[in-house]
Amino acid sequence: MRKIGEFLGLVRLFFRLVLSMLHNHKYLSDDLENNFLICKKICRKIVKSAYIKLTVYGQEKIPDNKPFLLVPNHRCFFDVVFLLAGLDHPVSFVAAKELWSYPILRTYLSAIYCIPLDRYTTDLAKLKGNITQIQEALSRHNLVMFPEGECSYEREEMGEFKKGGFMGVVGMDINLVPAFIKIGNFRNLGRKWMIPRGEVTVYIGSPFHSKDISDKRIQAAELAEYAQKKVQELRDIS
């Protein structure tokens, strides 16, 4: 009975999310900051409805002078909700292209200029296209990329940061910002239907540049490894 109650609670949460998205749809525009604030408002309501205490540390470390790439760990789908609810800087996301199959969600993803990523493609042309999209986005606005490529769910250890996404930023003059999302507990309803409970904390670290790693041009794999090291350091002190 308890599991049924928790499942119904999760359904209600998603229902509230969809209703809120439908209600605020008419306020979306071509302005990223406006659309980000709408998403932030929706996500804060969802966090509150889920009785989650969300805290973000280190926002003052995020650079204001030019676009940055935030590279956090990835526990679950709600990581996006937490970042939208907690960050003060407008951000877009590199997200799985499957999410664009949901009409209302697709509208919001496009409204904040998210990039659809085919995580499993081996097509060289598509890979190059994704790299170009990431580079063009970072020339205009802030971006969030989950380098693990998929959620770790209840597995607390981070997966390996994949080099693919970093291929688009090697050689770019941008700051990378590490972040660690700490989730204390999950309601596990099976088949990856999981929702965080209690406290969620986001730790933001100091930005770094590829030049901090080497004076010479580095490889994407090196940048991925260094980024994971910085996120791991945040995990160790959390």
Side-chain angles (χ1 to χ4, degrees):
M1 288 297 294
R2 180 180 177 184
K3 201 160 190 176
I4 292 175
E6 290 185 341
F7 178 76
L8 291 175
L10 180 60
V11 171
R12 283 195 294 271
L13 195 62
F14 274 101
F15 186 64
R16 286 178 181 174
L17 175 60
V18 172
L19 278 180
S20 189
M21 292 170 75
L22 288 170
H23 174 73
N24 287 280
H25 174 268
K26 59 182 176 288
Y27 300 115
L28 295 173
S29 67
D30 294 329
D31 182 56
L32 171 60
E33 186 166 356
N34 170 75
N35 299 339
F36 170 76
L37 291 174
I38 291 172
C39 291
K40 184 182 184 72
K41 174 184 172 183
I42 293 171
C43 290
R44 282 188 166 181
K45 285 183 178 179
I46 295 305
V47 170
K48 184 177 179 180
S49 297
Y51 304 105
I52 291 171
K53 180 184 177 184
L54 174 64
T55 308
V56 181
Y57 293 109
Q59 294 221 54
E60 71 282 356
K61 299 176 183 177
I62 296 178
D64 293 315
N65 56 334
K66 60 182 179 180
F68 61 85
L69 176 65
L70 189 77
V71 285
N73 62 315
H74 199 10
R75 293 298 304 275
C76 66
F77 167 80
F78 282 90
D79 292 343
V80 174
V81 173
F82 299 140
L83 292 176
L84 285 171
L87 291 177
D88 295 330
H89 294 70
V91 292
S92 303
F93 292 81
V94 179
K97 74 168 189 176
E98 306 93 82
L99 297 177
W100 270 258
S101 61
Y102 302 98
I104 186 64
L105 181 57
R106 177 173 65 233
T107 299
Y108 277 85
L109 291 170
S110 299
I112 58 172
Y113 304 145
C114 293
I115 298 173
L117 181 69
D118 188 342
R119 295 174 293 172
Y120 308 110
T121 186
T122 56
D123 186 307
L124 188 58
K126 289 182 179 179
L127 291 171
K128 288 182 177 179
N130 284 329
I131 290 172
T132 299
Q133 283 184 297
I134 290 172
Q135 291 173 334
E136 290 178 348
L138 283 169
S139 69
R140 298 189 299 269
H141 53 78
N142 309 317
L143 196 61
V144 178
M145 178 177 71
F146 296 103
E148 290 170 271
E150 58 186 12
C151 304
S152 61
Y153 297 106
E154 285 194 308
R155 176 173 51 83
E156 293 190 9
E157 293 300 318
M158 284 186 291
E160 180 182 1
F161 278 22
K162 296 176 173 58
K163 68 177 183 179
F166 291 97
M167 292 174 68
V169 298
V170 168
M172 290 190 72
D173 183 22
I174 62 162
N175 286 305
L176 289 86
V177 181
F180 178 68
I181 302 170
K182 182 178 182 179
I183 299 175
N185 295 289
F186 281 101
R187 296 185 183 96
N188 186 351
L189 306 177
R191 295 178 63 86
K192 297 184 180 180
W193 282 86
M194 303 174 71
I195 180 171
R197 60 194 301 179
E199 295 188 13
V200 173
T201 309
V202 179
Y203 296 89
I204 296 173
S206 298
F208 64 91
H209 194 283
S210 59
K211 291 179 181 177
D212 297 331
I213 306 172
S214 174
D215 292 332
K216 300 178 181 179
R217 182 181 175 87
I218 64 171
Q219 300 297 315
E222 294 177 274
L223 190 55
E225 183 180 355
Y226 188 83
Q228 183 159 8
K229 175 186 174 184
K230 290 299 179 182
V231 177
Q232 182 62 46
E233 288 175 357
L234 292 172
R235 181 183 186 275
D236 291 341
I237 63 174
S238 66

